[in-house]
Amino acid sequence: MINKCLFPVAGYGTRFLPATKSMPKEMLPVVNKPLVQYGVEEAIQAGMTTCAFVTGRGKRSIADHFDISYELEHQISGTGKEVYLESIRNVLDKGVFTMVRQREMKGLGHAILTGRSLIGNEPFGVLLSDDLCLNGEGDGVLAQMVALYNQFRCSIVAIQEVPEDEVHKYGVISGESMKEGIYRIDGMVEKPNKKDAPSNLAIIGRYILTPDIFEIIEETPPGANGEIQLTDALQTQAQRGCVMGYKFKGRRFDCGSVPGFVEATNFVYENVYDK
Ligand code: G1P
């Protein structure tokens, strides 16, 4: 069983300014639900009921969201409006929420290392809530990856084919296809130029990591953008042992960009939201 999921949520969300000036980007609603709640629901569905947030300054409303609001509960109790609280009550019933603050922004690898004290020595999930992944009534991406972890017992990254002109936005893998949609990774590059990219298979923000990743991150020097990159640590892990890439089932929206966010909003309003 994988019980814990790490949520790096310390980033600034500059692309959404001024909306994100005093509000975490993870709290931006896709229709009526904050982006981070979609992620938490996906983790809980995968059995990861401990959600560990690596937060930063100005992110307090995330902690408040995953707690009871007594005043609101009191106001709404016994009225027809209770239905609006159903999804978050459900999350609060099932989940445990822990937090640690990342004091300096030194990259995704550094954020993961900051979360070490919340995880301990066990395999865990990582979910980047900017990547909203939906799979209708089917299993969410993390649940799909847990099933794969039970088979391979090593770190797994979610991957997706992207247009060549977009590889520079992602970590990109190369690897040997084991069976349909499953790759054994032999190389990974963070944010490559089009000409240096080993493929067009991009890493999407879902990972299952074995805990030896923490020691590897400690030894990993800053890489792309001068940041400590999870991709570089995973590359080391792949060389020493095994890292798998998994082409997940479902649809992914890049909610870290305004066009992706708008696309997600339209999709959710038309296909998911109960009008
Ligand atoms: C991060 C990872 C990158 C991955 C991406 C997925 O980059 O470093 O490897 O492809 O998430 O969204 P970021 O988008 O934080 O720059």
Side-chain angles (χ1 to χ4, degrees):
M1 275 300 278
I2 299 185
N3 300 311
K4 295 178 184 167
C5 186
L6 201 63
F7 292 77
V9 292
Y12 294 123
T14 33
R15 273 181 274 182
F16 286 88
L17 282 169
T20 47
K21 189 178 168 219
S22 64
M23 175 188 172
K25 63 171 171 170
E26 296 78 11
M27 290 300 293
L28 291 172
V30 173
V31 186
N32 61 335
K33 196 190 282 184
L35 207 38
V36 66
Q37 190 182 327
Y38 289 90
V40 164
E41 288 175 357
E42 184 185 322
I44 289 177
Q45 188 218 31
M48 302 174 194
T49 48
T50 297
C51 297
F53 294 99
V54 179
T55 71
R57 289 178 291 280
K59 300 280 181 168
R60 221 170 265 173
S61 61
I62 298 178
D64 289 340
H65 188 72
F66 294 103
D67 192 0
I68 297 233
S69 165
Y70 281 106
E71 197 176 322
L72 193 61
E73 292 283 342
H74 178 76
Q75 283 291 329
I76 281 185
S77 167
T79 75
K81 292 181 180 162
E82 281 198 277
V83 56
Y84 299 122
L85 280 178
E86 244 167 43
S87 77
I88 186 66
R89 278 180 179 165
N90 201 13
V91 162
L92 295 183
D93 280 349
K94 293 185 183 142
V96 170
F97 302 91
T98 61
M99 327 262 151
V100 63
R101 278 206 190 192
Q102 187 184 9
R103 287 186 289 265
E104 293 171 286
M105 302 301 148
K106 293 192 199 163
L108 180 58
H110 179 254
I112 303 292
L113 189 58
T114 305
R116 184 183 200 168
S117 58
L118 302 178
I119 299 294
N121 191 29
E122 55 187 271
F124 60 102
V126 174
L127 190 149
L128 309 184
S129 49
D130 277 359
D131 285 324
L132 173 60
C133 295
L134 300 171
N135 189 29
E137 298 298 306
D139 274 353
V141 178
L142 279 180
Q144 297 168 38
M145 291 171 76
V146 167
L148 206 62
Y149 175 80
N150 291 335
Q151 211 179 320
F152 291 100
R153 304 267 154 193
C154 67
S155 289
I156 304 169
V157 302
I159 52 173
Q160 185 181 48
E161 280 179 38
V162 298
E164 274 180 18
D165 286 333
E166 291 183 19
V167 286
H168 66 278
K169 298 184 192 165
Y170 298 95
V172 178
I173 69 134
S174 62
E176 183 198 340
S177 173
M178 311 263 300
K179 52 180 161 167
E180 181 61 28
I182 303 175
Y183 295 78
R184 190 182 172 116
I185 294 178
D186 55 27
M188 297 174 111
V189 192
E190 181 67 16
K191 313 247 160 58
N193 296 322
K194 188 170 160 179
K195 64 174 176 31
D196 302 327
S199 74
N200 69 337
L201 292 171
I203 302 172
I204 301 306
R206 302 290 185 276
Y207 306 79
I208 291 194
L209 302 176
T210 52
D212 55 310
I213 198 75
F214 293 124
E215 277 111 65
I216 301 178
I217 297 173
E218 278 178 330
E219 298 162 9
T220 302
N225 299 331
E227 296 178 337
I228 299 172
Q229 297 292 353
L230 177 60
T231 302
D232 296 343
L234 280 163
Q235 157 81 347
T236 305
Q237 204 178 37
Q239 281 162 353
R240 290 185 189 168
C242 164
V243 176
M244 308 299 291
Y246 170 61
K247 258 191 198 170
F248 57 91
K249 295 183 184 68
R251 195 160 162 182
R252 170 253 178 183
F253 298 91
D254 173 15
C255 289
S257 76
V258 172
F261 192 91
V262 172
E263 202 191 327
T265 302
N266 288 328
F267 182 87
V268 169
Y269 184 67
E270 290 305 332
N271 301 287
V272 182
Y273 176 68
D274 192 4
K275 286 180 210 159

